[in-house]
Amino acid sequence: MGDANDRVGLADALRGHDAVISAVHFATSDADTLVGAVREAGVRRYLVVGGAGRPRARGYPARRLAASGRG
């Protein structure tokens, strides 16, 4: 576990991983800290998910997404 506001501690927690998936709310965190920790840890893949807690975004129907396994 790591603290999203502690760049050094977060980088230590991320080190050695292939990818990072972030659902941290950017409005209440510092994007430079998050991205900096990922870079400092040497992780090459960083995926940010937004609106994950909302069942539907305004104006868009809910859709189920699934990995097909095809490349």
Side-chain angles (χ1 to χ4, degrees):
M1 293 181 88
D3 180 348
N5 297 308
D6 175 12
R7 181 178 175 160
V8 174
L10 188 56
D12 288 342
L14 298 176
R15 202 166 271 107
H17 291 275
D18 295 325
V20 172
I21 300 173
S22 174
V24 174
H25 195 267
F26 273 137
T28 58
S29 64
D30 181 30
D32 290 334
T33 298
L34 297 171
V35 173
V38 172
R39 286 184 175 159
E40 187 176 322
V43 179
R44 296 181 57 155
R45 293 172 185 88
Y46 183 45
L47 175 68
V48 176
V49 226
R54 297 179 84 186
R56 289 188 181 176
R58 190 175 316 153
Y60 294 95
R63 292 193 179 143
R64 182 177 176 187
L65 302 176
S68 66
R70 289 177 262 161

